[in-house]
Structures are given as C-alpha cells and as structure tokens.
Amino acid sequence: MKKSTAAVSAVVVMVAGVAAYLYWQQHQTAPAEAPAPVEAPVAAAPEVQAPVPEPAPHYPITAPEVEEATGAEVDPDAQLLAALRALFGASVDTLFNTTDIVRRIVVTVDNLPREKVARRLMPVKPVPGPMVVAGNGDARVLDESNAARYSSYIHLVDTVPTAAVVDAYVRNYPAFQQSYVKLGYPDGYFNNRLVEVIDHLLAAPEPAGPLRLAQPKVLYTFADPELEKLSEGQKILLRMGPDNAARVKAKLREIRAAVTKQALGR
C-alpha cells in the first residue's frame, strides 16, 4: 500500500475527526460529576434528521482503476487503518475509534451542518481535560489558552500536503460513497456533501473578542443567542479559537479547490 494513502487521515482529522473531537471536548463542563449529554443513536445521521433529496451531482468523483493484488475482497476499514498505522504507528489505537472508521467519517461529515453530531460515531477518541473557561457568572468567557489544547491536531492541518490528501481521498472514494449511500442517500454523492459541508464551515462567523459563555444547566453554551443557534460544525470553529479556525479554513479551501477540480476533470 502506498504510504501516501495514509494522508487520507487528514480528511478524517481535518474534516471530521478534529471537528468531532473538538465538539466532544468543548461540551465538557467544569463540574466533575456532571452527567454526560444524551448520545445520538448509533444508527446514523438519518435518525438525527431525515435525509432530503439531493440535486443532480455537481462534483461526482470517479476513482481510478486499481489493480488487484489478490482475489480476496478488500476491507476498506482495514485498508484505511493500515495506512493510518503506517503514518502514526501505535498511537492510532490510542487516538482513533478503529471500528467502522469509514462509516464514522461519513456520518460525522454529514452531521457537521446539523444541530447535533453523533458522539458515539466519531472517528477520533476524546482526550481527557475540560474546556478552559475564565471568569465567573455572566462574565465567563472561553479562555484564550483553550486553543493550545489542539496544537497537535492543528499541526497536522498545517503539515499534511493537500495534494496527497486529495489523491488518497480519490483512491479511497468508493468506500466513502458506498457508506454514504447506505446512510440513506441512494441517489446522493458523498463528494457533493463534502463540498457542501466545507462551504458551510467556511461560512462560519468570525466574531472579534472573547466569546462569552453561559451555563443555563450543565453544559456551557454561547451567551450570544445568534452564535448558539449555529450548527455544531460552525460552533466547533468558534470554540477552537480564531487562529486555529483560520488555519483550518485555509486548509479546507485548498481541499475544496482540489476535490472540485478533480471531479470536473480539470
């Protein structure tokens, strides 16, 4: 297997894994015995929100012909995990949920523009540690030091070559497409959805100054109701801090340009 195939992990981490990880992390509260939020069912995104008919495909991907080394059927999850282990070694089993990883990516990407993300289907495991909050009462804000907790993930965003990411994504596209169809989109194209989700994330607002927080019950929320009603994907970008968000958006723009160019055969 080409080691460059491991670059598809950037799709996992940048488009889905990092986002899902940040979602879980930022919903942790200061009280040590706070009850966990209600989890989305393992089933899939359609149980969170019923799928709607998609328009004609704008960016269908055609994977290149791949010569089969043996007559054995290829396990897409095993193929992806082998690539991840070639890149990250034993840390893969520490950082990633290794079962059904292709499906986890597809479900998480599909859920990012929605109100909720299915936590049990995230491709990346949460790292222990609460969100860093400054102030008390109505003066609580998301502390700037909170952004430093994600430096290792943002480093991947900065260093993984976009061309290698897209090459690996295209080579592995049939597995993503098949999983997307099984999710409840028989006439859908996962690459269409990926582009839609990237556009949605790029449209996330970029408010100036510290983000004020409220704690009406157990979980922290944004004090600004206009920010609180954003999708989870857009709120994720707000929570990771403006510098991190800008770097993720820059990489997402590169990925978008590449996957749409490849789909159009340019």
Side-chain angles (χ1 to χ4, degrees):
M1 179 184 302
K2 292 175 59 180
K3 188 170 181 179
S4 65
T5 304
V8 76
S9 62
V11 176
V12 180
V13 176
M14 289 182 289
V15 182
V18 165
Y21 165 76
L22 294 174
Y23 165 78
W24 190 92
Q25 281 285 297
Q26 299 295 3
H27 276 68
Q28 303 311 295
T29 60
E33 299 182 0
V38 176
E39 297 181 359
V42 176
E47 294 195 8
V48 177
Q49 178 174 324
V52 296
E54 288 195 353
H58 296 128
Y59 308 109
I61 293 285
T62 301
E65 293 290 335
V66 179
E67 183 178 348
E68 295 186 6
T70 68
E73 184 177 351
V74 176
D75 181 344
D77 289 317
Q79 182 171 321
L80 178 57
L81 285 172
L84 291 173
R85 290 189 176 104
L87 185 62
F88 298 116
S91 63
V92 168
D93 296 292
T94 302
L95 297 176
F96 290 86
N97 291 309
T98 57
T99 59
D100 298 326
I101 192 166
V102 171
R103 179 170 175 260
R104 289 175 183 275
I105 297 167
V106 171
V107 170
T108 301
V109 169
D110 187 52
N111 279 346
L112 288 176
R114 308 182 193 277
E115 183 180 353
K116 300 292 184 182
V117 172
R119 180 163 70 88
R120 289 188 62 189
L121 293 177
M122 295 176 183
V124 177
K125 295 179 181 180
V127 175
M131 179 168 61
V132 185
V133 177
N136 298 293
D138 294 338
R140 280 178 296 204
V141 297
L142 185 63
D143 195 273
E144 291 183 359
S145 65
N146 192 66
R149 296 164 61 222
Y150 315 120
S151 59
S152 60
Y153 291 86
I154 300 301
H155 178 70
L156 287 179
V157 172
D158 290 337
T159 58
V160 176
T162 300
V165 172
V166 174
D167 175 69
Y169 171 65
V170 171
R171 290 178 179 276
N172 288 269
Y173 186 75
F176 292 110
Q177 174 62 25
Q178 183 179 37
S179 181
Y180 188 59
V181 169
K182 290 181 178 179
L183 191 60
Y185 303 98
D187 299 318
Y189 286 82
F190 180 65
N191 199 52
N192 275 7
R193 184 57 172 166
L194 178 64
V195 173
E196 289 173 0
V197 171
I198 290 175
D199 287 343
H200 177 79
L201 296 177
L202 293 176
E206 301 173 1
L211 294 172
R212 293 190 305 111
L213 302 175
Q215 194 176 22
K217 294 182 180 179
V218 175
L219 304 179
Y220 288 116
T221 63
F222 289 117
D224 184 341
E226 293 300 311
L227 298 182
E228 183 57 30
K229 72 181 183 182
L230 295 174
S231 72
E232 274 306 324
Q234 291 186 337
K235 286 193 284 189
I236 286 163
L237 288 170
L238 296 183
R239 293 175 185 131
M240 70 173 67
D243 180 63
N244 288 342
R247 292 155 74 180
V248 169
K249 283 185 174 183
K251 179 62 74 171
L252 290 175
R253 289 188 185 95
E254 293 179 4
I255 293 173
R256 187 195 190 284
V259 298
T260 54
K261 179 179 180 180
Q262 198 282 341
L264 296 174
R266 295 174 182 172

